[in-house]
Amino acid sequence: MSETLLKADALCAGYGDFQALFSIDFEVAKKETVALVGANGAGKSTLFKTIVGLLPVRSGTLSLGGRDITSLPAHRLVGQGLALVPEGRRLFKGLTVEDNLRVALDHGRHVDKGETAWTLERLYDLFPILAERRRQSVEKLSGGQQQMVAIGRALMAQPKLLLCDEISLGLAPKVIGEIYEMIPKIRATGTAIVIVEQDVSLAQRCADRIYCMLEGRITLTGKSSEISREQVTEAYFGVKHAVD
Ligand code: ATP
């Protein structure tokens, strides 16, 4: 693997008395695309929330670009280059497309000299339909367009690592295809990406590496091209399933 960007070492987290993550080792290299798969309740969203500081780390460590970020609060982590596209999008209702996109501008990472920053113009090139809808309230948009706004808003924070939680949830297959066409374009700008995806084949197609979670633990990791469907099935369900 090339230079490590994010590293979680023996990470544990939970809610009250409930432990949701058990000693998670998780790594993302610079410019890498990683998929995180697992059944409902496996702990994928919890891992994301812990990485971005929305849930405290109970034990273990987190580092970004070699810097310890274990105890940094969420608002500081945005400035360090972590951006989350949350499950369910969580857009600011009542605001226009453009105002939703602008929200992240003041809180994002400071872009280094020589780097190309994400601007409204660049986002509208990526999602031309958002340029047409820029003055509309986000509630008026289709689910796919709202998802584009959620991704765009996260990009406006100038992330080094973009964490996308179930960006295909509830969307029609054609729209999912349109959203996923953006992934290679975003990664081409040098941003590392982690996607949580229910569709394992889709996850394997677009990611360099895969992690599979089951009941709060990582049960499988490896290069997408080297992992068989049978291995994923076993890691996903925890039992051997017949594969035709
Ligand atoms: P899904 O696809 O359903 O979102 P997931 O893999 O993202 O699944 P999580 O949402 O991380 O799973 O949930 C992991 C575990 O933590 C589950 O047992 C869930 O019930 C529990 N959990 C999640 N959020 C909370 C919460 N706010 N309070 C208590 N338990 C929670």
Side-chain angles (χ1 to χ4, degrees):
M1 198 163 81
S2 58
E3 206 180 333
T4 302
L5 176 62
L6 177 86
K7 193 167 186 338
D9 249 323
L11 200 68
C12 295
Y15 306 91
D17 292 339
F18 178 73
Q19 185 168 352
L21 300 181
F22 297 84
S23 199
I24 299 285
D25 293 332
F26 184 80
E27 267 187 68
V28 185
K30 285 187 176 167
K31 304 182 181 185
E32 191 181 29
T33 301
V34 167
L36 179 59
V37 300
N40 287 343
K44 307 175 300 292
S45 299
T46 302
L47 178 55
F48 273 8
K49 282 188 233 165
T50 311
I51 290 171
V52 301
L54 293 172
L55 202 62
V57 173
R58 289 192 175 169
S59 62
T61 57
L62 269 175
S63 67
L64 185 71
R67 181 184 170 189
D68 182 35
I69 57 162
T70 313
S71 308
L72 286 190
H75 68 275
R76 296 267 314 274
L77 288 169
V78 180
Q80 294 295 313
L82 288 181
L84 174 68
V85 182
E87 190 176 352
R89 300 168 205 134
R90 312 221 170 180
L91 297 178
F92 299 104
K93 294 195 177 123
L95 293 188
T96 63
V97 167
E98 193 151 302
D99 286 342
N100 265 276
L101 295 173
R102 281 182 189 280
V103 161
L105 266 179
D106 298 334
H107 309 284
R109 180 176 67 92
H110 177 76
V111 173
D112 297 330
K113 263 190 185 162
E115 257 190 284
T116 318
W118 284 100
T119 58
L120 283 173
E121 205 174 20
R122 280 185 74 207
L123 275 184
Y124 291 148
D125 280 346
L126 187 67
F127 301 116
I129 187 71
L130 297 189
E132 284 174 37
R133 303 284 157 95
R134 64 206 292 171
R135 310 253 176 261
Q136 278 188 4
S137 170
V138 284
E139 291 107 305
K140 300 259 164 66
L141 304 188
S142 68
Q145 290 162 1
Q146 288 186 6
Q147 192 62 76
M148 291 174 196
V149 176
I151 296 169
R153 183 180 58 183
L155 288 174
M156 288 297 263
Q158 318 296 341
K160 290 182 182 166
L161 177 60
L162 182 69
L163 302 162
C164 300
D165 199 352
E166 305 222 23
I167 50 177
S168 63
L169 201 67
L171 302 179
K174 181 172 170 283
V175 182
I176 295 172
E178 284 167 16
I179 299 279
Y180 267 85
E181 272 173 28
M182 301 306 143
I183 300 288
K185 292 182 185 171
I186 296 168
R187 73 176 292 179
T189 66
T191 308
I193 304 168
V194 184
I195 52 158
V196 162
E197 177 50 61
Q198 291 287 347
D199 179 341
V200 176
S201 312
L202 180 58
Q204 254 177 310
R205 279 201 303 281
C206 82
D208 304 306
R209 285 188 310 119
I210 282 211
Y211 283 86
C212 189
M213 282 186 84
L214 175 71
E215 294 172 358
R217 292 177 171 83
I218 301 287
T219 45
L220 178 72
T221 177
K223 286 188 180 168
S224 300
S225 55
E226 292 172 0
I227 288 182
S228 69
R229 195 173 137 200
E230 192 174 17
Q231 283 174 304
V232 176
T233 307
E234 196 183 328
Y236 199 101
F237 296 106
V239 286
K240 285 197 188 286
H241 279 236
V243 177
D244 30 69

